[in-house]
Amino acid sequence: MAMSSLLLKTCPLHLPTNPNKNRPANSIKSFTFRNSLKTDSYVNSFTLSKDSNYKLSWQEEFKRAFPSLEWENCGENDEKFQELVDKRAVDNIRMLIVDAVQNSKAGHPGMALGMAEVGYFLYRHVMRYNPKNPKWFNRDRFVLSAGHGCLLQYVCLHLAGFHSVQIDDLKSLCKLGSRTPGHPENTLTDGIEVTTGPLGQGVANAVGLALAEAHLAARFNKSDIAIVDHRTYCIMGDGCAMEGISFEAASLAAHWKLNKLTLIYDDNHNTIDGSADLAFSEDISLRFKALGWNTVTVDDTQSNMRSFKNALLAAYSETQRPTFIRVKTLIGKLSKKEGTSKAHHGTFDEDDEKQMKQKVKWDDRDSFHVIPMIYREMQVQAERGEELEMDWHSKLNYYQSKYPQEAAEFKVLLSGGMLPGWENALPKWSTSDPVDATRGYSEKCLNQLAKVLPGLIGGSADLASSNKVYLHDYEDFQQPDSPWGRNIRYGVREHAMAGISNGIALHGGGLIPFAATFLIFSDYMKNSIRLSALSNAGVLYVMTHDSIGLGEDGPTHQPVEQLAGLRAVPHLIVFRPADGNETAGAYKVAVAHRNGPSLVALSRQKVAAHVEGTSEDAVERGGYVISDNSGEDLPDIILIGTGSELCLCEASAGVMRKEGRRVRVVSLVCWRLFDRQPNEYKEEVLPSRVMKRVSVEAGSPIGWREYVGPEGFVLGVEDFGASGAYLDTFKKFGFTEENITRIGRNLLSK
């Protein structure tokens, strides 16, 4: 059945495993800037240097900036003219950086001043983008892993014509409610691809963006036409070089042969506390070379941008490896703080500001001045981006006429990757189905969803055989053998897995990434999970072995405090399903929630396929009543459970009901979703007049008091767990039907 027919149907489709099996992944060629860049001079089609009127418009500015310059010689030499334009544009960028920091009395000017040439060159001569449509699919992606240098990107976005950053936005740097916050946020500012700040995260994000491009290119490009063909650029700093996530991600990038990824290292040899050699003395280029990267060193961009261009040529000619460009710079360029850690953040004194402006012949100009010709200069790249987008849409029309089935699937992905009726593919369980762990029910859900969600892709941190997170009818993502594969082998790299998943989610190609490990190892991933929530990245986290119930592995592997910490992350939706149907309900909500992350915590121990009263549909409300013998009356007591402990609540309720008690059992499968419900609904499920309540969860008791009230009882785990068979461990900590019944009786007797 063709994908196009699925747009009108809800039946599952088993999408092809290897649509391009007989075609090398890197066989596609198309006209791009990198083809034109391979010349001895700047690309003529990208410059205005042959326009005599445009040249004349620069004459007075050149006389100011370069008083010894002979205008006649410059005017006749196109290459020399372009070099001077570029130099003056960089001067203007630096002055805008100084003005923004001085005006706001806040910010991080050091990296921005030192990397001004690199930022300008990328936005003016290299990257493909359309400011009028910042989300154009086939644009190049840029990530600022050294997020404290965001002022450089804000200035470049402004000059490049992005409406999201106006002069007034530069004046509002770091101000409450501005579009120029202290670190880049993709949800606030068009042109920012990912939210960065915690160092090293952007490196992993960039790897995810590059993986998404390579995967989609392998699935959809044909020998006669490439509709997925863009590059990823990332700037990292000394801090990123020290963070472990960077090297987890870089190791994978080399293993996956992501040759369209270029990582630019701002080697300014300074961190906040002082010279980098206080704590960092390794040869970073050798380290990347050992990982399998193509490595290039640029000794001086600040007086010779051509050297950076040559480094990019080396990156473009590389077909098997990602490229690491080490750029040696001076932090705080022009300032008295130049080359020292003092330049990292903060403002400049009056004399320093005056001297900086004198050095570039800027001293009599108002703050936030922009040379008018620079707007026109940057507009060239923007116009080229518009042309490239128009060409891409023409390609897409041709592609649709020649490859209609692939085009239909591609358009589904571009529109978010959600086929109508996809949720009907989720399995349903009855009380007669064999018992399994919720990780087993999860496995069935994921594999059914893969058939109807063409963007579902992801993997585990070396635990697929244990957490049951693997798409069985699809290959592994590996280049050059099967880059179309939808299973990603992350190895033991939990932190990079989460950061890479954020990049995949924010790529914009309809991919729905899942990342899986044991719940205890969410600690390794926490910063990336937090950034998923902050940046609206729709990552699906699948965490198994969710309590002390995992048993024999003992306290090092038993997650006690993890659920409490994860539930505290704003916007993160955390589920702990009790059976197969609640597991399906969790996936139904999580997959539909494309503008933020979700986490499903799953058991190792077996539970019923269907606990009587649970509902797939009710999961979307977060909490609901699964049983109650109270009739029209209020219950005497409410037992509240999650996960594998819900069935213990139900069993205990059965005992107390036989004793004549009115007992309600509530599944609180997702706190955040329940908290979002109208007060009337929450009162209906947990009536405030019923003060006798017991919560049962084999994890930290923190947070449960809100649901049981001051007179209720919280049954949780306040130690690290213990090694032993899971039933013995549960008994040791009181998670038995008998103990819950005893607690309930005691409450009822008061």
Side-chain angles (χ1 to χ4, degrees), residues 25-64:
N26 292 319
S27 65
I28 306 301
K29 300 291 184 183
S30 65
F31 177 79
T32 64
F33 169 65
R34 57 187 171 278
N35 299 107
S36 296
L37 190 63
K38 296 177 182 179
T39 64
D40 292 332
S41 62
Y42 290 119
V43 186
N44 289 335
S45 62
F46 281 62
T47 69
L48 295 166
S49 59
K50 292 184 180 298
D51 184 334
S52 58
N53 290 329
Y54 180 69
K55 282 185 175 181
L56 284 173
S57 69
W58 277 95
Q59 187 170 1
E60 291 304 315
E61 184 64 33
F62 281 5
K63 287 180 179 179
R64 163 197 281 267

Side-chain angles (χ1 to χ4, degrees), residues 187 506 532-539 571 573 589-598 676:
T187 59
L506 296 172
S532 299
L534 181 58
S535 58
N536 294 352
V539 179
H571 310 305
I573 301 178
V589 177
V591 170
H593 183 54
R594 288 296 81 227
N595 62 345
S598 303
R676 291 175 180 174

Side-chain angles (χ1 to χ4, degrees), residues 9-31:
K9 297 180 180 293
T10 60
C11 56
L13 172 72
H14 198 299
L15 299 174
T17 301
N18 51 349
N20 300 292
K21 190 168 186 177
N22 298 318
R23 181 170 51 80
N26 292 319
S27 65
I28 306 301
K29 300 291 184 183
S30 65
F31 177 79

Side-chain angles (χ1 to χ4, degrees), residues 639 647-657 737 740-742:
L639 305 181
C647 63
L648 296 177
C649 293
E650 183 63 19
S652 175
V655 173
M656 287 189 282
R657 286 166 184 161
E737 171 194 324
I740 296 168
T741 303
R742 180 188 63 80

Side-chain angles (χ1 to χ4, degrees), residues 91 96 151 199 242 448 471 490 541 571 585 592 727 738:
D91 290 341
L96 287 171
L151 189 46
L199 296 175
M242 298 182 198
Q448 289 300 109
L471 307 181
Y490 286 106
Y541 292 101
H571 310 305
L727 288 176
E738 294 77 13

Side-chain angles (χ1 to χ4, degrees), residues 129-136 160-163 190 379 382-383 385-386 389:
Y129 57 84
N130 180 5
K132 294 181 180 178
N133 183 14
K135 296 298 184 183
W136 167 44
F162 284 79
H163 296 300
D190 283 342
Q379 188 181 347
E383 290 171 349
E386 285 188 65
E389 182 177 0

Side-chain angles (χ1 to χ4, degrees), residues 589-717:
V589 177
V591 170
H593 183 54
R594 288 296 81 227
N595 62 345
S598 303
L599 186 148
V600 186
L602 302 162
S603 72
R604 178 197 186 198
Q605 66 272 22
K606 292 183 177 181
V607 296
H610 175 45
V611 176
E612 192 73 43
T614 60
S615 164
E616 173 187 318
D617 292 335
V619 170
E620 68 181 6
R621 308 202 78 165
Y624 62 101
V625 178
I626 71 164
S627 68
D628 192 350
N629 68 328
S630 305
E632 297 297 320
D633 299 319
L634 288 173
D636 298 322
I637 190 170
I638 302 175
L639 305 181
I640 312 169
T642 71
S644 57
E645 293 83 78
L646 185 66
C647 63
L648 296 177
C649 293
E650 183 63 19
S652 175
V655 173
M656 287 189 282
R657 286 166 184 161
K658 289 178 181 178
E659 298 171 352
R661 296 295 190 175
R662 298 189 301 274
V663 185
R664 173 176 294 184
V665 178
V666 170
S667 172
L668 203 61
V669 59
C670 178
W671 292 12
R672 178 151 280 128
L673 292 181
F674 183 71
D675 292 346
R676 291 175 180 174
Q677 300 307 309
N679 288 332
E680 295 80 6
Y681 177 78
K682 289 186 285 187
E683 177 67 19
E684 182 183 326
V685 175
L686 297 175
S688 56
R689 286 181 291 167
V690 181
M691 308 295 286
K692 301 182 188 301
R693 306 178 187 181
V694 181
S695 68
V696 185
E697 185 173 73
S700 171
I702 292 175
W704 274 108
R705 183 60 58 189
E706 179 178 347
Y707 301 102
V708 302
E711 297 182 22
F713 188 94
V714 177
L715 179 57
V717 181

